Amino acid sequence: KKKKKFPKNNMSLVSKKDSKVLAPKDYDIQMLLGAEAHIGSTNCDKSMEKYMWKRRDKDGVHLINLAKTWEKLMLAARVIVTVTNPSDVVAISSRPFGNRAVLKYSKYTGAKYVTGRFTPGTFTNQIQEKFMEPRLLIVSDPISDYQPIIEASYVNIPVIAFCDSDSPLKHVDIAIPSNNKSKSSIAIMFWLLAREVLRLRGELSRNSKWDVKPDLFLYREVDEKKEGEGEEEENKESTTVVLSSENYNEGSQSKGGDDEFGQDGEENLEEEEEDAVDLSKSDQNN
C-alpha cells in the first residue's frame, strides 16, 4: 500500500477562496520584517527546526520562515474565536517587554491578562483569591512563562505560545514562530493576533484598516517616560515664568502709581506741617 501524502503547507488544507482571504498582504509582511520578527537566536531547539528558513553565515543567527509564522498566527486566531466567552482566554507575560502588549490585547479582545510574576497555583489551587479556570492560554515566551504552562498541562488547558528558535515546545499546543526577545516584535505579533480575532468575530472588516496603531502595544522604557514627563514639566515652568514676568511688570506699574501717590501725600503732609508752624509763630507774637 502506498503511504498517504499529506500537504506540506497547512494553508493547502483550506479552500482556495479562504486561502486568498487569509493570505498576508504586503503591508503585513513589511511590518513583520520591520519589527525583526523573523530573526531568531544562535541556538535552535530540535522541535523548532521545521519553522526555520536558514542559518545566517555571518553571525550564525537562525532566520524564521514568515510563511509558517503567518499560518500559525491564523490558526491561533481561529482557535481563540471558538471560545464563546472572551474572558475565558488568559494572556500571560512575565517579561516586562510583553506586559503592555498583553494588556492591550486583553483590552481589545475582552480576554483576561496576567503580567509580572505568575503566582503558583493560580490554575490548580482553588483556595487562592486569584484562582482562575480559563479555557485557553496565550503565552509570550515558553521559557520565562514555564510555570503557567506546567499548570495548564495539569488541568488540560490548551496553550498558544510565541516561540523563538531556542524555545522548547513541551506542553505547547500551537507554537507561533517569532522573535519573542524584541519589544517591537512582541508588539506586532499581539497586534496582528488581536486584529485577526476581531476580523473573525465580525467586529472589524477586512477591507478597512484598524484604527488602533501597533505603537500602543509597544513597551515604553522608564527613561522614555521620564523624558516625556521632563518635557512637560519644562513647558509648564516656561509658561509659569512668562506669567510671573507679566505679573511682575503689572505689579511694578501699579507700584509706580502708588509711589507717585505716596510722594504727593508726603508733600501734602509737609505743607500742612509748615502751615501749623506758621500759625504757632503768629500766636506767640500776638
Side-chain angles (χ1 to χ4, degrees), residues 18-78:
D18 292 338
S19 63
K20 289 181 180 179
V21 173
L22 298 177
K25 296 182 180 179
D26 295 338
Y27 178 69
D28 300 329
I29 300 299
Q30 288 174 3
M31 281 197 302
L32 290 172
L33 292 173
E36 297 182 350
H38 64 292
I39 295 178
S41 62
T42 54
N43 299 326
C44 183
D45 193 86
K46 187 176 181 180
S47 55
M48 289 294 295
E49 289 180 354
K50 55 186 176 182
Y51 301 116
M52 297 298 111
W53 180 50
K54 70 174 185 178
R55 187 171 186 177
R56 204 157 53 186
D57 297 333
K58 181 175 64 175
D59 49 5
V61 173
H62 292 82
L63 300 179
I64 299 170
N65 189 352
L66 289 180
K68 299 291 183 68
T69 300
W70 189 261
E71 291 174 7
K72 286 305 186 78
L73 194 67
M74 297 297 105
L75 178 62
R78 286 187 167 192

Side-chain angles (χ1 to χ4, degrees), residues 232-267:
E232 291 178 359
E233 290 179 356
E234 288 177 359
N235 293 331
K236 289 181 181 179
E237 289 177 358
S238 62
T239 53
T240 53
V241 167
V242 171
L243 291 173
S244 62
S245 62
E246 291 176 356
N247 294 331
Y248 177 75
N249 294 330
E250 292 177 358
S252 62
Q253 290 176 1
S254 62
K255 284 181 180 179
D258 293 340
D259 290 342
E260 291 175 0
F261 178 78
Q263 289 175 2
D264 294 338
E266 289 177 357
E267 290 176 356

Side-chain angles (χ1 to χ4, degrees), residues 7-268:
K8 294 182 179 179
N9 291 332
N10 295 331
M11 295 296 289
S12 59
L13 295 172
V14 189
S15 62
K16 293 182 178 180
K17 184 178 179 181
D18 292 338
S19 63
K20 289 181 180 179
V21 173
L22 298 177
K25 296 182 180 179
D26 295 338
Y27 178 69
D28 300 329
I29 300 299
Q30 288 174 3
M31 281 197 302
L32 290 172
L33 292 173
E36 297 182 350
H38 64 292
I39 295 178
S41 62
T42 54
N43 299 326
C44 183
D45 193 86
K46 187 176 181 180
S47 55
M48 289 294 295
E49 289 180 354
K50 55 186 176 182
Y51 301 116
M52 297 298 111
W53 180 50
K54 70 174 185 178
R55 187 171 186 177
R56 204 157 53 186
D57 297 333
K58 181 175 64 175
D59 49 5
V61 173
H62 292 82
L63 300 179
I64 299 170
N65 189 352
L66 289 180
K68 299 291 183 68
T69 300
W70 189 261
E71 291 174 7
K72 286 305 186 78
L73 194 67
M74 297 297 105
L75 178 62
R78 286 187 167 192
V79 171
I80 293 169
V81 171
T82 58
V83 181
T84 55
N85 188 6
S87 61
D88 288 338
V89 180
V90 177
I92 295 177
S93 177
S94 60
R95 299 177 64 185
F97 286 169
N99 290 350
R100 189 177 178 85
V102 164
L103 192 147
K104 293 295 181 181
Y105 172 83
S106 61
K107 176 184 176 181
Y108 293 110
T109 59
K112 293 182 180 179
Y113 67 92
V114 177
T115 57
R117 182 181 179 273
F118 180 82
T119 305
T122 303
F123 299 151
T124 56
N125 189 1
Q126 298 181 357
I127 302 174
Q128 284 194 9
E129 296 180 358
K130 297 181 179 180
F131 175 74
M132 292 186 293
E133 291 180 312
R135 295 183 60 189
L136 185 62
L137 192 66
I138 303 173
V139 171
S140 63
D141 187 3
I143 296 176
S144 59
D145 300 325
Y146 66 92
Q147 182 64 31
I149 292 176
I150 292 173
E151 291 192 10
S153 66
Y154 294 159
V155 291
N156 296 327
I157 299 174
V159 177
I160 298 172
F162 293 99
C163 301
D164 208 335
S165 61
D166 58 348
S167 299
L169 299 184
K170 190 176 182 180
H171 304 307
V172 175
D173 297 286
I174 298 176
I176 304 175
S178 62
N179 182 5
N180 59 12
K181 296 178 177 62
S182 172
K183 60 180 182 180
S184 57
S185 175
I186 293 173
I188 288 296
M189 295 305 298
F190 271 101
W191 183 83
L192 289 172
L193 184 61
R195 187 188 66 175
E196 188 61 29
V197 169
L198 294 177
R199 284 179 174 178
L200 292 174
R201 287 178 181 172
E203 299 177 10
L204 184 66
S205 176
R206 291 189 180 274
N207 298 326
S208 60
K209 289 185 178 181
W210 195 19
D211 296 335
V212 179
K213 295 183 178 180
D215 299 344
L216 294 175
F217 288 68
L218 191 63
Y219 171 75
R220 287 184 62 190
E221 296 181 359
V222 180
D223 296 337
E224 295 177 358
K225 292 181 181 179
K226 287 183 178 179
E227 287 178 0
E229 293 175 358
E231 290 177 358
E232 291 178 359
E233 290 179 356
E234 288 177 359
N235 293 331
K236 289 181 181 179
E237 289 177 358
S238 62
T239 53
T240 53
V241 167
V242 171
L243 291 173
S244 62
S245 62
E246 291 176 356
N247 294 331
Y248 177 75
N249 294 330
E250 292 177 358
S252 62
Q253 290 176 1
S254 62
K255 284 181 180 179
D258 293 340
D259 290 342
E260 291 175 0
F261 178 78
Q263 289 175 2
D264 294 338
E266 289 177 357
E267 290 176 356
N268 294 329

